[in-house]
Each structure stands twice: as C-alpha cells, then as structure tokens.
Amino acid sequence: MFTYRFVRELKPFAGMQHLDVAGGTGDVAFRVLDQITQLEDEQQEQDASNVTPAGTVVVCDINPEMLAEGRKKAHAAKLEPQGLDFVEGNAESLPFPDCSYDAYTIAFGIRNVTDINAALREAHRVLKVGGRFLCLEFSHVTLPGLKQIYDAYSFNVIPEIGRAVANDKASYEYLVESIRKFPEQEAFASMIRAAGFSNVQYENLQGGIVAIHSGFKLK
C-alpha cells in the first residue's frame, strides 16, 4: 500500500531516468519501470514518429544479496533487461556522475544510513536540475491517542513477533529503536533543505507512522 502511494506521488513519465537507492529487492523500481513503459507504449501508439528515448531505472543497494534477490524477481517477472539495471553502491558515495537522473527514490532505507546528511547531498548531486528527491520512511506518529497505542505495540509486540516468527527478537528491537531515533518529520525536512533541495514538503500517512518527504533540485 505504501509503495503504491509512493510511486503515485512520484508521477513517472516517458523517458524518465530514475534511481532507486537501497531498493535491492526492486519493489519500488519495478512499479516505476512498469509505469514508464506503459507511458512510452501509449506515446508510441499516439505518434510513432515522435518517440521519446527509452527510460531506465537503476536499483542501487549496498547489499549484494539484496541485489541478487532483485535480479531473480526481475527475471521471474520477465522485466525488460535494457530498461533495468542493478548496481552495488553506498548511498553516502554513489557511483554515478553528477546530474544523471530525473528522480531519486529511497523507501525504508535512509533510516539505516550511517550519515544521512551525506546521503542527502549525494542525492542532490546525482539529480539533474529540476529533478526530484522522494523518500518513504517510518516516522513519528502525530495523533496523540494513536501515538500511545503505537508505542506500546512497537516496543512490546513487534519484538515478540520477531522472536516467534523469525527467532530474531534482536533485529526487530533494532527496527523499533531505529524508527524512534530517526528525525521527526520537520527536522528531516530541514536536513533535506540543508542538502540543497527546494520546495521541500512532507505528507504523513497513517497518522505519521510513515511519511513521504519530497524536494526538488532547482540549481
């Protein structure tokens, strides 16, 4: 549900050059590529003489195992290989030239980056002027009643689910703690502005359990 809303907010277009960071399994990238391909097919049907160069989606992730999983999923889904690439790389030091992409997305990944400010600066660097940064991440509940319920659920229930289902309580405790330590919505928006982005906005989903932050590179 969240990734569907996220990609809808992105508004992919024909010929789009897109970078999805920390997206090794391809969940966001495949949706973006599907929309780009559909729009290009429609454009071709309407006017075959005025064809936009094909768009591409690059998935960048620091974890080679996640990238391998993404490649398997892409193969199983029979996605066009010429429109999709998987690249191992660190969000804090991306292996791409300046001004390469129309859009940069990161979904449920920036919370795990060691130097978030460095990652934001890199996002700004690799985007073209006019390009858009979009981040989907767990955030901080803004509704008072929901906040107490969610806090109790997060600290007491989620780790026990992890223990029972995956025999890995510690990883689920880390998940909860990392969400709590992540900057609040307005603080994160300020960090995005400090990295050079303009028109920075955010939208809370499910009362702030998740938020979408957006910014544009205008210079």
Side-chain angles (χ1 to χ4, degrees):
M1 178 180 68
F2 291 134
T3 55
Y4 174 81
R5 176 69 185 82
F6 187 52
V7 174
R8 189 174 69 182
E9 176 63 26
L10 178 65
K11 300 178 180 67
F13 55 86
M16 187 181 203
Q17 305 301 308
H18 179 69
L19 174 64
D20 184 47
V21 174
T25 57
D27 293 340
V28 170
F30 298 165
R31 289 181 184 271
V32 174
L33 181 61
D34 182 61
Q35 291 201 19
I36 291 173
T37 303
Q38 286 186 34
L39 291 166
E40 289 173 349
D41 289 345
E42 290 172 7
Q43 186 182 72
Q44 173 97 19
E45 290 174 4
Q46 291 170 5
D47 186 358
S49 65
N50 184 24
V51 178
T52 302
T56 59
V57 175
V58 175
V59 181
C60 181
D61 200 294
I62 199 170
N63 187 330
E65 293 179 358
M66 296 289 281
L67 290 170
E69 183 63 26
R71 289 189 184 96
K72 287 180 184 176
K73 288 174 66 177
H75 180 73
K78 296 182 171 58
L79 295 176
E80 293 295 333
Q82 64 267 27
L84 181 66
D85 196 13
F86 293 85
V87 177
E88 186 175 341
N90 190 331
E92 299 171 28
S93 182
L94 293 169
F96 309 111
D98 297 357
C99 305
S100 296
Y101 297 99
D102 297 301
Y104 170 117
T105 52
I106 183 165
F108 302 117
I110 204 161
R111 174 175 41 85
N112 297 316
V113 172
T114 303
D115 188 342
I116 293 174
N117 289 309
L120 292 172
R121 290 192 297 269
E122 278 293 275
H124 189 272
R125 179 185 68 79
V126 301
L127 281 169
K128 301 175 185 177
V129 174
R132 189 179 190 188
F133 167 86
L134 211 60
C135 175
L136 176 69
E137 188 54 85
F138 290 112
S139 197
H140 296 266
V141 174
T142 55
L143 300 177
L146 178 60
K147 177 173 171 49
Q148 285 126 5
I149 296 169
Y150 182 66
D151 283 347
Y153 175 79
S154 297
F155 284 107
N156 299 311
V157 179
I158 291 178
E160 290 304 318
I161 291 174
R163 181 187 62 77
V165 174
N167 195 27
D168 189 5
K169 182 178 179 180
S171 292
Y172 285 80
E173 287 176 334
Y174 165 77
L175 169 65
V176 173
E177 287 296 330
S178 68
I179 294 170
R180 292 294 170 271
K181 291 178 181 178
F182 190 72
E184 293 187 357
Q185 287 88 323
E186 189 54 49
F188 186 47
S190 295
M191 294 169 69
I192 297 169
R193 292 186 191 99
F197 289 98
S198 302
N199 297 344
V200 176
Q201 300 178 351
Y202 63 86
E203 177 186 2
N204 288 320
L205 306 179
Q206 300 294 312
I209 292 174
V210 169
I212 296 175
H213 281 73
S214 170
F216 290 86
K217 178 178 177 176
L218 299 184
K219 60 181 180 179

